[in-house]
Amino acid sequence: MTVQPIRLFGDPVLRTPAEPVVDFDAELRKLIADLTDTMREQGGAGLAAPQLGVGLRVFTFDVDDVVGHLVNPVLEFPDSEEQDGPEGCLSIPGLYFDTKRRLNVVAKGFNEYGDPMQIVGTGLMARCVQHETDHLDGVLFLDRLDPKGRKEAMKAIRQAEWYDPGAPPVVKVSPHAAASPFGLGG
Ligand SMILES: [Zn+2]
């Protein structure tokens, strides 16, 4: 198991748009394995790379016993039907709010080897794909709530046991930082 800590609401990485994957290499497959293990350990329906502090456009899903992943997703909506129901997020643990989403989605992208693939999703799968793709754009499901719902959600977050407004953001330092011309990070 390679379960990784999940970044929580307030961590700036969750608000940073992720970069497209260019190299379909062993490092990407390790990331997808980490995402899958962490998602399953936490019992989530999906997990996006930024939630592990990695700014790449990839997410995993586990919906109705279908486990998979999608790299560089692009969403298309075949109709204008909507759904409304409870939605949560592993980065906002324990809190669920009714969130409007499109009912049907076609998500096109690639698998971990760079082969084209697509997910035709409805209901919970469609909700998951939209939620995870939002993460790749730095968008949280709170942003999809109406102003009243968002106010209630923010109040609940501030009261949540895990929320620490004074916590400094966790910065991932590369073990090769000293050798990098860009200094920290890399
Ligand atoms: Zn989420």
Side-chain angles (χ1 to χ4, degrees):
M1 292 283 277
T2 39
V3 172
Q4 305 281 343
I6 292 177
R7 305 301 181 93
L8 297 176
F9 178 85
D11 190 316
V13 74
L14 296 174
R15 289 306 196 179
T16 307
E19 298 288 328
V21 169
V22 177
D23 297 319
F24 290 79
D25 56 8
E27 202 175 330
L28 175 67
R29 289 188 280 281
K30 161 91 167 61
L31 170 62
I32 289 168
D34 287 355
L35 284 167
T36 304
D37 288 348
T38 306
M39 170 185 71
R40 299 190 87 174
E41 163 93 0
Q42 296 294 325
L47 192 64
Q51 293 179 278
L52 295 187
V54 179
L56 288 174
R57 298 186 75 81
V58 50
F59 67 78
T60 56
F61 56 86
D62 182 1
V63 177
D64 297 332
D65 293 325
V66 180
V67 179
H69 63 271
L70 193 62
V71 180
N72 295 345
V74 176
L75 303 193
E76 291 172 9
F77 301 103
D79 56 49
S80 56
E81 283 196 74
E82 290 190 331
Q83 57 177 323
D84 194 5
E87 191 164 315
C89 179
L90 292 174
S91 295
I92 307 172
L95 300 176
Y96 298 85
F97 301 96
D98 283 350
T99 307
K100 278 204 179 85
R101 294 285 185 183
R102 300 293 277 269
L103 179 62
N104 299 299
V105 66
V106 178
K108 295 182 176 177
F110 301 88
N111 71 10
E112 61 188 342
Y113 299 103
D115 303 319
M117 63 171 284
Q118 68 172 21
I119 300 167
V120 180
T122 189
L124 189 56
M125 179 64 99
R127 179 179 292 282
C128 172
V129 163
Q130 290 168 81
H131 179 111
E132 301 311 330
T133 303
D134 271 354
H135 271 302
L136 307 182
D137 295 326
V139 172
L140 298 173
F141 81 98
L142 305 171
D143 308 338
R144 301 286 185 188
L145 305 177
D146 61 29
K148 185 167 167 281
R150 198 175 311 129
K151 205 174 163 189
E152 283 172 19
M154 283 309 303
K155 191 178 169 196
I157 287 172
R158 282 191 215 98
Q159 291 170 348
E161 210 170 87
W162 53 263
Y163 181 60
D164 184 356
V170 180
V171 177
K172 201 174 180 180
V173 179
S174 165
H176 310 298
S180 165
F182 306 107
L184 291 181

